[in-house]
Structures are given as structure tokens and as C-alpha cells.
Amino acid sequence: MQDLNDMILFAEVAERGSFTAASRALGLPKSRLSRRVAGLETQLGVQLMQRSSRKLSLTQPGELYLRHCIEMRDAAQAAQDAIAHVHTEPRGMVRLSCPVTLAQSAMGPLLPVFMQRYPQVRVEMRVLNRPVDPVPDGVDIALRVRSQIENSATLVAKTFGVSRLIVVASPDQLHRQGPVHQPADLARLDTVSMSIGESRSSWRLEGPNGEVFVHAHEPRYMVDDLLTLGFAVVQGTGAAMLPDYMCHAHLASGRLVELLPGWGPPPGITHAMFPARRALFPPVRHLLDFLSENLRVDGAYEFVG
């Protein structure tokens, strides 16, 4: 009979991308993992992995087999967790990553509420503006805001809502430099941007009828933090593209004006990416459920400028 442990070892190697990474995670010698996977291939009569000195990739049978290995491993973990936690509240560490602006606008206020509700849960949140891959970066949940959700064989996505980037400027700037009635009018405005280290930037705007306009510009001010950038827009330094949820209060008060309503880049989908088996761990599952109920990316968050 096939050794089910070999299926788990194969899944760990495939998900982590190398025998070395799986060896570190499992605490097993790399040579043993290699022998076990090779033996599994011999038993199945197919090659599951393509090996080279630089890269490990799955064959087509390997991708098919991996899905079944993950399902088997997750079912076994779910059974163990069900017994271990049937009479206890969630406890343990949850590690997640979060973009800076989402942390400042939504996650910062929400996480203390979650931790009050579940006092045995500990949380470690990494706030950073770079792509995070849950498995190699060692996080349970990677929060993302992107126009498309990654299609992954090893990660599961959970969506929380949609936000838009809008082009905004202060009334004072528009009084100085003129109104904007059509995309070409943006050329008369100073701009501010997140494009650190680049002398020129561009905004790709999609219109209501499928039109596309690319505004190439040379920002007066560049900073890699949206909250700081927002201060400059309110004070008239330049126009910018900002998340709509950052601007609600200032648009309502008249301190900001939305330029070209109906024009902008594709909406950003706020979502979590995580290995399916981690969602079976009670603290992770409870946090995902809590965010589904409470995380709102269309709320009235504002920066005070």
C-alpha cells in the first residue's frame, strides 16, 4: 500500500519550490526527501518533478497529483484540529502581511477588536509595500489590493471588497492652473506620485466607453507612502491618483475635487491569499471570518491634512 507520508512530503517540496526549503521546514535531511520523492515516482510510474540546479518544476502529472496530495493532507489536518480544538477557544499565533495604506485605514482599528474577542490568539502583522508569498515568506495570510487575483495551484483567495483609484486635486490648485474637463487637460497640472526614483511617471486611465488615455507626466513630488502623498494633494502641491476610501471626507467637505469622474485604472480587489491548510487552523479561520464580516474598503477613512 502507498505510504501516505510520501504524498505529504511531495506536497511540501512542491509548495515550497525546492528540496532545500522543504528540508528546513520539515526538519528532515534533504537527501531523505529526495529519496522519498524518487521512490514515489518509481511506485507511480511517472515523473512528478523536473529537477535542475536552479529550478524545480512540476510535470503535468505532478500538478494533477499535487492537488490530490493537498486535499488528503488538509483533510488529515482538519481531523486533527477538530479533535484538538473541539472544546477550546482559538489560541495560537497568526502571521499576516498587509499593505501600508490598508493597515493604516482599516486593519489598524480592526485587529484590536479581533484580539479582544479572542484573547488566546496572538497576531504578528508585517506592514509593507511589497509582494508577499505566504509559503516562502512564512505568513499565514497575505492581504493584497490588486486589479486581479492570482491564479494559484497552492493558494486560496478570499475577497473582501473593491476600491477604486481616482484622480484628485485641491480647489486651490485648479484655481491656479485651470480646470480639467477632459483627459488631455491633465497636462496643465502639477502632479505628485508614488514613483520613487523615476523622473517620469504615467497614469493609465480607462474611460466609461472603453476609451484609454495614458497621461505621461513629471511629478513635482514623489514619496512612497500614500498617506503622506495625500497631505500634499490637499495642500495643493499637485494632483494624484488616490484610493477612493482615503478621499471620501475631503471630497464631501470640498477640500478635494475628483477629476474626470468615470475615468481611472481598473478597480483594486482587496483580498487574502493563504495556503488552504492554514485556514483549517482555528485562529486563522476565525481571523478570515472576522475580516469577511468587518473589513470594509469603501468606508469613510480620511487623512487629516
Side-chain angles (χ1 to χ4, degrees):
M1 181 178 177
Q2 183 174 333
D3 188 339
L4 300 183
N5 289 319
D6 289 344
M7 298 176 68
I8 294 177
L9 297 180
F10 165 72
E12 291 292 331
V13 172
E15 286 187 313
R16 297 182 186 279
S18 73
F19 284 95
T20 300
S23 173
R24 286 196 299 264
L26 297 172
L28 295 175
K30 178 181 173 182
S31 58
R32 182 186 300 179
L33 286 177
S34 181
R35 286 197 304 270
R36 296 287 290 269
V37 172
L40 182 61
E41 290 176 318
T42 300
Q43 183 179 9
L44 295 172
V46 295
Q47 185 177 2
L48 300 173
M49 295 178 169
Q50 298 279 4
R51 302 162 176 82
S52 71
S53 59
R54 293 187 176 182
K55 185 178 180 182
L56 183 152
S57 59
L58 295 180
T59 62
Q60 186 174 2
E63 292 178 353
L64 176 63
Y65 192 64
L66 175 62
R67 290 198 290 270
H68 292 285
C69 291
I70 290 173
E71 290 175 2
M72 183 276 297
R73 181 190 60 193
D74 291 346
Q77 185 65 50
Q80 179 177 330
D81 289 344
I83 297 300
H85 298 280
V86 66
H87 295 304
T88 61
E89 64 178 313
R91 67 180 64 228
M93 173 70 77
V94 181
R95 294 179 172 86
L96 69 153
S97 64
C98 183
V100 173
T101 304
L102 186 62
Q104 294 171 339
S105 62
M107 292 299 292
L110 277 180
L111 278 177
V113 178
F114 171 78
M115 298 181 74
Q116 289 171 5
R117 185 175 299 180
Y118 302 106
Q120 300 300 318
V121 176
R122 299 165 59 214
V123 175
E124 176 185 293
M125 183 166 70
R126 305 177 191 175
V127 180
L128 33 77
N129 279 334
R130 68 167 178 81
V132 174
D133 191 332
V135 176
D137 288 324
V139 299
D140 301 302
I141 302 169
L143 294 176
R144 299 174 177 176
V145 183
R146 297 183 182 177
S147 59
Q148 292 184 327
I149 297 177
E150 175 187 353
N151 184 13
S152 172
T154 59
L155 299 176
V156 177
K158 189 177 186 69
T159 61
F160 303 116
V162 174
S163 63
R164 295 186 305 120
L165 285 174
I166 58 176
V167 184
V168 290
S170 72
D172 178 64
Q173 181 184 4
L174 296 176
H175 179 74
R176 294 193 327 264
Q177 298 184 326
V180 173
H181 300 296
Q182 56 189 357
D185 294 337
L186 292 172
R188 64 166 62 102
L189 299 184
D190 291 331
T191 59
V192 297
S193 172
M194 291 274 289
S195 302
I196 287 291
E198 300 179 9
S199 60
R200 294 191 65 80
S201 184
S202 64
W203 298 337
R204 187 181 188 277
L205 307 176
E206 298 180 3
N209 299 315
E211 303 169 82
V212 174
F213 181 84
V214 178
H215 175 54
H217 56 105
E218 187 172 350
R220 285 195 62 206
Y221 177 44
M222 293 169 285
V223 58
D224 61 356
D225 176 70
L226 277 174
L227 192 62
T228 305
L229 200 68
F231 296 145
V233 182
V234 169
Q235 294 177 39
T237 306
M241 283 202 303
L242 295 176
D244 54 359
Y245 59 81
M246 286 182 62
C247 303
H248 290 319
H250 286 309
L251 290 170
S253 68
R255 300 187 71 192
L256 284 180
V257 177
E258 180 179 358
L259 309 181
L260 305 172
W263 287 83
I269 306 168
T270 301
H271 61 285
M273 298 294 294
F274 52 92
R277 69 183 187 279
R278 294 307 296 162
L280 301 173
F281 183 48
V284 174
R285 184 177 68 249
H286 279 74
L287 179 55
L288 289 169
D289 291 343
F290 176 83
L291 294 179
S292 291
E293 296 171 3
N294 298 282
L295 180 58
R296 298 289 179 267
V297 294
D298 56 354
Y301 167 74
E302 67 172 299
F303 52 94
V304 180

